[in-house]
Amino acid sequence: MSGRILARVPGSYILLACIGLVAVNLRGPFVAVAPVADLMQADLHFSPVLLGLLTSIPVLCFSVAAPLASLAARRLGAEFAVTLTILGVLAGVLVRSAGGPLLVVAGTVLIGLAITVGNIAVPLIIRRDFSPARQGTAMGIYTAALNIGSFLTSVVTAPLAGVAGWRVALAAVGVLAVGAIAFWTLAVGPRNAFLVSPEDGGGMKLPPVEGSGWITAGLTVAFAMQAFSYYGVTAWLPSYLHDELGMSVGEAGAASSIFQILAIAGGLGVPFAARFLSTTAVTVILGVLWTAVPAGLLLAPQLWWLWSFGGGIAQGGGITVIFIAIIRLARDQVSAGRISAVVQGSGYCVAALAPPLVGLVHDASGSWTPALLVLLASVLAFFASSTLSVRRLPEDR
């Protein structure tokens, strides 16, 4: 009976569900470190710098390894590249939980490299296997699932570590990878999942978009500023709420989760809003919501919940808009991979600077005002570059 029911489900629905499950594994494994950082430091005697690197290493991998990830997706095939991503995440999670400081760092690097491949390969599959009318929805589900993975991991890791220890808590993230590889194999078939199948570069080749080089540069700036703003707010919002509003550490951490969970609404909301508004109009709305975060915290910090609400939607929607723009800009699968590698590689390089730079500005000034002005500059740059870029793209193909 279950087989007959499954046979009636359109293949695109099954693939979309699997893409969501894969995406859950693309952020959670490195987000899991933050809730158990104190336990790891006490057990492994990490310095604060090395402990901070455990969350920075994956972001640096996203930057440095993006061109190689694009090459891998093209030479090995997108399906096989996703398989490597899931297996790499699983291996990295297990290595990170298995031993001392060296294995923790080695496992973290492996996780970062594996996720980098997935960052490139999954959007390529969406571009290839979904019609233009459904690509926005598929991309929205993908980016929403990224944030679902982050949120679930953040919520579950600390309580599990309190019961079973930090090693078990970090290793438990691998359960999601096991589920993802099982369903991925069923969705694309064992042959596609485990055998190399280079992309042939075939399929419809679109006429080039006028000024595509400038648009790519604009999207790169937009992605960089979006990611810089996201990592800057994520790293320091709890500290701001603690210092400025007198929240306890626990209250500040819980309050800042609003910013994370609302990203799901942003990812899913962009393709829905695009049915009624132009992509440019949607981008302007996201830019306004993003700008309200640092501006609101500067002018009316007591309304932090409102700014976090809008900022969460903006950060989830912002990355969705950029990925959709890459799909529309690319002429074929090869150019899609190359553009994505340029945009993500450069963008994540800038993003990795956000937590230390915002912290340095705060420490040097002894105030949150200059740090918030840095974030305000970054979101305004995202606002301008994203709007100018998407307005030059065709609305459909």
Side-chain angles (χ1 to χ4, degrees), residues 191-293:
R191 182 180 182 86
N192 288 330
F194 292 100
L195 294 180
V196 172
S197 180
E199 296 283 339
D200 58 11
M204 182 175 61
K205 187 170 183 177
L206 303 170
V209 176
E210 184 179 355
S212 58
W214 287 107
I215 297 173
T216 299
L219 292 176
T220 301
V221 173
F223 189 92
M225 295 298 96
Q226 151 81 19
F228 183 98
S229 304
Y230 168 75
Y231 284 106
V233 172
T234 297
W236 294 108
L237 182 58
S239 298
Y240 171 87
L241 295 175
H242 173 71
D243 294 346
E244 297 295 310
L245 299 179
M247 292 185 183
S248 68
V249 174
E251 289 172 340
S256 63
S257 67
I258 296 174
F259 177 74
Q260 302 296 335
I261 194 63
L262 262 296
I264 298 170
L268 296 176
V270 163
F272 176 78
R275 297 179 183 179
F276 309 98
L277 302 170
S278 68
T279 307
T280 302
V282 173
T283 305
V284 168
I285 292 171
L286 294 172
V288 171
L289 291 175
W290 242 135
T291 304
V293 177

Side-chain angles (χ1 to χ4, degrees), residues 16 18 23 101 138 144 177 187 219 278-279 299 307 311 331 356 384 396:
L16 189 57
C18 287
L219 292 176
S278 68
T279 307
L299 300 175
W307 318 132
R331 297 171 296 171
D396 51 44

Side-chain angles (χ1 to χ4, degrees), residues 285-323:
I285 292 171
L286 294 172
V288 171
L289 291 175
W290 242 135
T291 304
V293 177
L297 292 176
L298 282 168
L299 300 175
Q302 69 276 10
L303 296 178
W304 62 268
W305 54 271
L306 180 60
W307 318 132
S308 296
F309 189 98
I313 293 174
Q315 59 104 345
I319 192 171
T320 305
V321 162
I322 293 170
F323 280 140

Side-chain angles (χ1 to χ4, degrees), residues 10-390:
S12 61
Y13 287 14
I14 297 174
L15 179 59
L16 189 57
C18 287
I19 284 173
L21 188 54
V22 170
V24 168
N25 288 273
L26 298 186
R27 294 297 180 270
F30 73 86
V31 171
V33 171
V36 296
D38 291 341
L39 296 176
M40 294 179 68
Q41 187 172 26
D43 188 19
L44 299 175
H45 307 292
F46 276 168
S47 68
V49 173
L50 184 55
L51 194 65
L53 278 176
L54 294 183
T55 54
S56 298
I57 285 173
V59 181
L60 293 173
C61 288
F62 297 168
S63 172
V64 175
L68 292 178
S70 176
L71 181 63
R74 188 165 69 250
R75 295 288 179 86
L76 303 178
E79 286 87 355
F80 186 73
V82 170
T83 302
L84 287 180
T85 293
I86 305 170
L87 293 178
V89 167
L90 178 59
V93 164
L94 296 177
V95 169
R96 184 178 63 181
S97 305
L102 184 60
L103 287 181
V104 169
V105 174
T108 302
V109 172
L110 183 55
I111 290 169
L113 293 174
I115 292 176
T116 305
V117 176
N119 286 344
I120 301 294
V122 175
L124 289 179
I125 290 175
I126 291 174
R127 183 187 185 279
R128 186 194 64 194
D129 293 347
F130 290 88
S131 66
R134 299 187 62 197
Q135 287 171 353
T137 299
M139 194 62 72
I141 290 174
Y142 166 66
T143 55
L146 292 175
N147 290 284
I148 290 172
S150 298
F151 180 75
L152 290 178
T153 304
S154 314
V155 169
V156 172
T157 302
L160 184 57
V163 173
W166 68 266
R167 294 182 188 277
V168 173
L170 291 184
V173 180
V175 172
L176 295 173
V178 172
I181 195 63
F183 281 96
W184 181 249
T185 303
L186 290 175
V188 303
R191 182 180 182 86
N192 288 330
F194 292 100
L195 294 180
V196 172
S197 180
E199 296 283 339
D200 58 11
M204 182 175 61
K205 187 170 183 177
L206 303 170
V209 176
E210 184 179 355
S212 58
W214 287 107
I215 297 173
T216 299
L219 292 176
T220 301
V221 173
F223 189 92
M225 295 298 96
Q226 151 81 19
F228 183 98
S229 304
Y230 168 75
Y231 284 106
V233 172
T234 297
W236 294 108
L237 182 58
S239 298
Y240 171 87
L241 295 175
H242 173 71
D243 294 346
E244 297 295 310
L245 299 179
M247 292 185 183
S248 68
V249 174
E251 289 172 340
S256 63
S257 67
I258 296 174
F259 177 74
Q260 302 296 335
I261 194 63
L262 262 296
I264 298 170
L268 296 176
V270 163
F272 176 78
R275 297 179 183 179
F276 309 98
L277 302 170
S278 68
T279 307
T280 302
V282 173
T283 305
V284 168
I285 292 171
L286 294 172
V288 171
L289 291 175
W290 242 135
T291 304
V293 177
L297 292 176
L298 282 168
L299 300 175
Q302 69 276 10
L303 296 178
W304 62 268
W305 54 271
L306 180 60
W307 318 132
S308 296
F309 189 98
I313 293 174
Q315 59 104 345
I319 192 171
T320 305
V321 162
I322 293 170
F323 280 140
I324 291 173
I326 291 172
I327 287 176
R328 290 181 178 163
L329 177 62
R331 297 171 296 171
D332 51 35
Q333 286 293 91
V334 173
S335 63
R338 288 173 178 166
I339 294 171
S340 187
V342 169
V343 171
Q344 293 192 56
S346 303
Y348 281 122
C349 181
V350 175
L353 301 175
L357 179 59
V358 173
L360 178 64
V361 170
H362 169 260
D363 291 343
S365 64
S367 168
W368 282 107
T369 297
L372 289 173
L373 289 174
V374 170
L375 292 173
L376 180 60
S378 69
V379 296
L380 288 174
F382 161 77
F383 193 166
S385 57
S386 60
T387 303
L388 291 173
S389 298
V390 301

